[in-house]
Amino acid sequence: MMKNLQDTVTLYNGVKMPGFGLGVFKVEEGKELVEAVKNAIKHGYRSIDTAAIYGNEEGVGVGVKEALEENNLRREDLFITSKVWNDGLNYEETISAYEESLKKLGLDYLDLYLIHWPGKDQYKESWRALETLYKEGKVKAIGVSNFEVHHLEALLKQAEIKPMINQVEYHPRLTQSEVKAFCEENEIRFEAWSPLMQGELLQNEELTHIAKHHGKSVAQIILRWDVQNGVITIPKSTKEHRIIENANIFDFQLTKEEMQQISSLNKNRRVGPNPNEFNF
């Protein structure tokens, strides 16, 4: 289990990935985005997660470049993730989308590249392209996002290289136990997007009670729950004090009873689309 913000988890191919990072979903291009990325890196974050559809890869790239210079870091000290959108899921389109993301980010390679959504069986050609990018050393790790068990089973039947990551919506109202168990059985690391349920859980009475007991915020309790569950997590924030607070979760531990209490809040409730219905 992670003991500090610099701790990593090891993907099955040996690549070490930070277990905690910054997500930038719904953060528009501009100064706020650049400063968020810079502040995260300044305060010890080493993983930044973006995607083509977010429309903010250029700003992320600027923030990364300036943060490297200002903090005397090397590119290999950071772990940068992006994702191919559903309008580019054949082989050639995926390769082109990767190159476009790389260009916008101003980078020579990505650490992790994901298929953003399964769509309707469109991902198979796209996965073959990701395998090519991986074999050519253009990306350190490849994976998927929002894949259910049946999507993963279908992909594993035809994949030469199995995914290293499955990034899904995951929070106390959507614990995804079946998907999580399948990923663990197949050495696919489980990563949470929207771990705070886009703020909907921050006033929850049970979580507030646990937070008060530990002298922490509800957000910190949820993110600690992620970490103790062995889940990679990428909370979004643009405020410097929140970026610092979110990562301040390594000086306490939830009890077994508290972990179970938080997990029991599950209602299979999503704030994002259902992968089985969302076909773009």
Side-chain angles (χ1 to χ4, degrees):
M1 185 170 65
M2 290 182 69
K3 294 187 172 68
N4 59 63
L5 188 53
Q6 266 76 52
D7 268 359
T8 59
V9 300
T10 303
L11 308 183
Y12 79 78
N13 66 338
V15 167
K16 295 185 182 302
M17 176 180 181
F20 196 98
L22 178 74
V24 295
F25 176 52
K26 290 188 175 178
V27 185
E28 295 181 1
E29 288 279 26
K31 182 175 173 56
E32 184 181 48
L33 169 65
V34 173
E35 289 302 312
V37 172
K38 289 172 64 175
N39 283 327
I41 295 170
K42 179 176 74 174
H43 291 294
Y45 287 65
R46 294 295 177 261
S47 174
I48 309 293
D49 179 280
T50 185
I53 195 63
Y54 299 172
N56 60 17
E57 289 173 312
E58 290 182 5
V60 169
V62 171
V64 165
K65 182 176 184 294
E66 293 183 6
L68 290 176
E69 294 170 355
E70 293 172 13
N71 296 281
N72 196 28
L73 295 169
R74 303 165 302 163
R75 163 66 182 94
E76 50 266 37
D77 293 325
L78 300 182
F79 194 97
I80 312 298
T81 300
S82 194
K83 313 173 191 80
V84 57
W85 187 240
N86 289 47
D87 59 0
L89 287 186
N90 71 31
Y91 183 89
E92 291 79 11
E93 288 169 345
T94 300
I95 299 292
S96 177
Y98 175 84
E99 298 295 346
E100 184 66 19
S101 287
L102 214 58
K103 181 181 176 182
K104 287 181 177 178
L105 287 160
L107 300 175
D108 296 325
Y109 68 93
L110 282 179
D111 296 279
L112 177 63
Y113 198 47
L114 306 176
I115 295 176
H116 206 150
W117 289 88
K120 195 167 186 177
D121 293 333
Q122 295 170 294
Y123 55 84
K124 294 178 181 177
E125 277 297 293
S126 189
W127 185 253
R128 194 165 63 84
L130 263 62
E131 290 177 328
T132 296
L133 292 167
Y134 178 72
K135 289 176 190 173
E136 292 178 351
K138 294 181 177 179
V139 62
K140 303 292 184 184
I142 53 177
V144 295
S145 184
N146 302 300
F147 274 47
E148 300 283 286
V149 170
H150 68 94
H151 297 126
L152 292 168
E153 287 175 334
L155 181 60
L156 290 176
K157 285 179 182 175
Q158 63 111 50
E160 184 180 341
I161 302 167
K162 68 180 179 182
M164 289 131 204
I165 289 280
N166 186 21
Q167 184 188 111
V168 302
E169 181 180 346
Y170 175 85
H171 44 70
R173 289 291 193 212
L174 184 70
T175 56
Q176 303 254 38
S177 56
E178 185 184 358
V179 182
K180 186 171 182 288
F182 184 89
C183 288
E184 289 169 353
E185 288 167 11
N186 288 277
E187 297 183 298
I188 301 168
R189 281 286 183 171
F190 197 76
E191 183 177 15
W193 66 259
S194 196
L196 304 178
M197 203 180 177
Q198 297 181 15
E200 287 192 27
L201 284 168
L202 300 184
Q203 306 302 320
N204 179 272
E205 189 175 333
E206 291 179 74
L207 293 173
T208 299
H209 178 76
I210 295 171
K212 285 180 179 177
H213 174 72
H214 288 279
K216 292 289 184 180
S217 69
V218 171
Q220 288 170 320
I221 294 300
I222 294 171
L223 296 171
R224 181 68 199 180
W225 174 75
D226 282 2
V227 168
Q228 287 185 219
N229 273 325
V231 174
I232 300 166
T233 190
I234 46 169
K236 183 203 89 172
S237 184
T238 57
K239 309 298 183 188
E240 185 173 11
H241 72 283
R242 292 290 185 204
I243 288 170
I244 296 168
E245 179 187 291
N246 284 345
N248 186 20
I249 59 171
F250 300 102
D251 58 351
F252 77 103
Q253 188 152 338
L254 296 168
T255 66
K256 183 179 179 181
E257 291 73 26
E258 287 169 335
M259 290 291 290
Q260 291 173 340
Q261 185 181 355
I262 295 168
S263 295
S264 72
L265 295 173
N266 180 53
K267 301 287 186 187
N268 293 320
R269 184 167 174 269
R270 300 177 182 273
V271 291
N274 186 326
N276 294 316
E277 300 168 359
F278 197 32
N279 193 32
F280 309 89

